[in-house]
Amino acid sequence: MSGKTRARPSGLSEAEAKARLEKDGANELPRPERRSSLRIVVEVLREPMLLLLLGGGLIYLVLGDLKEALILLAFGAMSIVITVVQETRTERVLDALRDLTSPRALVVRDGARRRIPGREVVRGDLLVLGEGDRVPADAALVEAHDLQLDESLLTGESVPVRKQAADMIAAVDHRPGGEDQPFVYSGSLVVRGEGLALVEATGPRSEIGKIGLSLRGLQAEPPRLQQQTARLVRLCFLGGAVVSMAAVALYGVLRGDWLQALLAGIAIGMSMLPEEFGVVLTVFMAMGAWRISQARVLTRRAAAIEVLGSATVLCTDKTGTLTQNRMSVAELRLPDGARMRPAAGEDRAGPEFAELVRCGALASSPEPFDPMEKALHQFAHDAFQDGDAMDGERTLVRTYGLRPELLAMTQVWWTAGRADLVACAKGAPEAVARLCRLNDAGQESVRDAASAMAKDGLRVLGVAVAVCDDASLPQSQQAFAFRFVGLVGLADPLRPHVPEAVRECRAAGIRVVMITGDYPATAVAIANQAGLDVQDVMTGDQVRLADDPELARRVRHVSVFARVLPEQKLRIVQAMKANGEIVAMTGDGVNDAPSLKAAHIGIAMGGRGTDVAREASSIVLLDDDFGSIVSAIRLGRRIYDNLRKAMAFIFAVHVPIAGLALLPLVFGLPLIFSPVHIAFLELIIDPVCSLVFEAERDERDAMTRPPRRADAELFSWALVGWSVLQGALAFALTATIFVGALRSGLASDEARALAFVTLVVCFVALVLVNRSFSASFASAFFRPNPALAWIFAAVAAVLAAALLWPPASSLFRFGPLHADDLLITLGAGLLLLTLLELLKPLWARRLRF
């Protein structure tokens, strides 16, 4: 926009506003597309295991076996319902940008002020802004009276910025941040003063809307474990399909019963398809999200849990993440050089600092909204024990506000019982020094002291006091005979648990990097307090000028990025990812949202964080405690470890299941498994994996080993080899017992029951073996796990029902077993456990991460 900007006092008419609303659309972002429930059902029906279940059920219907048909179809229906519910819950998408603008906006229309919904604000509307208002759209100021706005949601800087109106507003590229701009931005908060502003951009055309649109163009990191699992299941499906077709042909040719051959083929296909991988992965992610929530961390995308333990770089914002996003008094300094630091343990101001503390509070608004003025009031309240120094009967007589030509403000007070008035001023140190008419040496001393405080990352204010009578209040605050009282340094304090959390991250091999919109000196000061390894500092301008290869090289060593814009944060994250880093990004502002979504793990602050940051992230810290990140990483490593244990178990148990399904066909023996037996075994495998392995506690070295490699496969050759070895031993023992039973004269139903029970007991042994990759033999039994005893008791009860309850034993075609038969099965399980525990040390190192 160029030329003279004048807003009509009457604002838009209702007709004009309605026309512009229809033309430009509502002051919000369009909703992203959702998947329908029907589409999810269609995707679920493509799963191979579900097709096998439904196919088996239909064949049983053709054979007239209604009972087995209904059982298999019921299993299939349960799988559909569970999956659809799970997928529907994960379809929550980004729409919080609708709520970031003020829910109600005060505008001038047809010459009258009207309160309207924020989504109905249109280009050309005249906004009325006051303290506490959330700006509903980007606008140019036409009037401003002592106006200050908090733009930290857009810039990351916690200190409010001054605004002033301008008659001539040039068509230049303007951005949030910086003092004395004539522009206000959607999502920012008015903390002081009032003004009128002409709306220039709404919805997706505003600065906050542009960030929202960039989020829609970013693709979140795909869940790698789901990709690996799906790939393995596809390979197993192809292999199982070949074996199944061969088995059908073999059975049909040798035995002449093609329908039974088809059922045998389906059973073999089901036995070779480790469909539990997908189920267990889903359950582990859901249970992991619940466990992490106990540490006050909300998991929005369960897939992020899988990469929590592999993070190599943690990029953190400063304001509201490392710091508390609230100002507090950090240092007092008198003209004679005496100083006091409350953060160093000096909780109370000495008597020599009393006047400085009192005048700082009196120079502020009585009911402040500005965070610095709140800090001055709070410090004064805490500093005086009896409270009389601050709580006397006073009346505010007059206020002299900040002006661009004089960055200071003055409050004039009348005190009961006194004839004169007290004027207290605060502002930029150099401005207050001029008000006090200090000589050159005095002004130089103030500048040096303020510079020394600013190097520590403090926001410095000068404070002065004057006395006058009520009959001669001047027109300007420059006319008071001010006396310089001292300097007050304010800081956004570090969160108390941050240094400890940073130390734990570094011990776990995670590099912590600060990315902030604040000044380098402030950023370095906070970084040093937090314990970051500050090797190098890079500014936003340097990021902008660097090409992608140079930026990728620099980010390997830089620990602090300062004065960084939102799109530069995104470039930094992408450069780290290009280096092969697994990037976790924390933040709380709208300016953090693109980088939160682009990172492998986006971590938003839940308390002070914006809805946009939370919705763009995969993890939300509900208590805004940076230390919770460490708890989440520890749990992430535990979940991944336990997931590998569960996967090793699943892979192992499918070896004997497939072997026992093929054995009768190859050697002309009675069939051991039908589809019902396979489905029953899945009912054992799934809960065992989901509950027992998920509940295992973390390994001893969980937070002292380095992060796993970014390209590490969940199914390493060592893990596959270990699983195949376990399964082969279980198959050998079970097959030996089955063949031996048949040769000893046992009926086929009894031999089938004996083999089935032996296999289940071997499952129990495999559970004990896989509980830990490094624990001792004794810990297989005594390592605490509250779910273990309950699961084993449930398995024993279900198995007893299958053997002893006539309808169940008839369905499974089981014959009766005796005590000596059960001893054989228990002996097989104990032998398997002993052999594998003796072999485990040979594989332990290969199985580490």
Side-chain angles (χ1 to χ4, degrees), residues 424-435:
C424 295
K426 67 172 174 59
E430 62 275 13
V432 175
R434 291 199 305 271
L435 277 179

Side-chain angles (χ1 to χ4, degrees), residues 597-682:
K597 189 173 183 182
H600 295 95
I601 312 161
I603 306 174
M605 297 297 164
R608 292 183 178 272
T610 63
D611 288 344
V612 172
R614 287 193 289 270
E615 293 296 328
S617 67
S618 46
I619 291 173
V620 179
L621 304 184
L622 297 178
D623 55 4
D624 285 4
D625 187 349
F626 187 83
S628 297
I629 297 175
V630 179
S631 300
I633 290 173
R634 179 188 295 275
L635 283 167
R637 292 189 173 191
R638 165 184 165 175
I639 291 165
Y640 186 83
D641 288 356
N642 291 341
L643 186 58
R644 279 172 58 95
K645 298 169 188 176
M647 295 305 186
F649 170 77
I650 292 172
F651 214 103
V653 299
H654 275 274
V655 173
I657 292 176
L660 292 172
L662 280 169
L663 180 68
L665 298 180
V666 175
F667 293 99
L669 301 174
L671 291 179
I672 302 176
F673 294 143
S674 68
V676 173
H677 294 100
I678 304 294
F680 180 80
L681 288 174
E682 306 303 338

Side-chain angles (χ1 to χ4, degrees), residues 124-260:
D125 258 329
L126 189 61
L127 298 175
V128 181
L129 304 175
E131 279 192 14
D133 286 345
R134 181 79 63 181
V135 180
D138 291 3
L141 285 168
V142 293
E143 288 184 21
H145 304 286
D146 194 17
L147 187 63
Q148 295 186 30
L149 274 80
D150 178 357
E151 296 181 347
S152 62
L153 299 186
L154 292 161
T155 65
E157 298 180 32
S158 56
V159 178
V161 292
R162 295 185 305 274
K163 299 290 182 180
Q164 63 174 343
D167 287 337
M168 299 291 294
I169 300 177
V172 296
D173 183 24
H174 55 87
R175 301 295 299 271
E179 300 283 358
D180 299 324
Q181 283 194 10
F183 301 100
V184 294
Y185 300 93
S186 178
S188 56
L189 184 67
V190 180
V191 298
R192 185 181 184 88
E194 57 187 23
L196 292 176
L198 189 67
V199 174
E200 290 188 328
T202 60
R205 293 165 292 277
S206 65
E207 289 296 319
I208 199 173
K210 292 174 185 175
I211 294 176
L213 290 180
S214 72
L215 291 180
R216 300 182 65 195
L218 287 173
Q219 294 297 321
E221 282 298 310
R224 294 179 302 159
L225 291 187
Q226 289 184 7
Q227 292 177 333
Q228 294 178 23
T229 301
R231 185 167 62 249
L232 183 65
V233 171
R234 283 195 299 270
L235 291 174
C236 292
F237 173 71
L238 293 176
V242 172
V243 175
S244 295
M245 287 188 290
V248 169
L250 183 65
Y251 192 106
V253 170
L254 295 179
R255 306 195 184 190
D257 191 341
W258 288 97
L259 277 177
Q260 288 296 333

Side-chain angles (χ1 to χ4, degrees), residues 501-510 637 703-707:
V502 170
R503 283 193 299 272
E504 289 195 56
C505 285
R506 294 174 65 177
I510 302 169
R637 292 189 173 191
M703 290 300 287
T704 56
R705 64 174 184 257

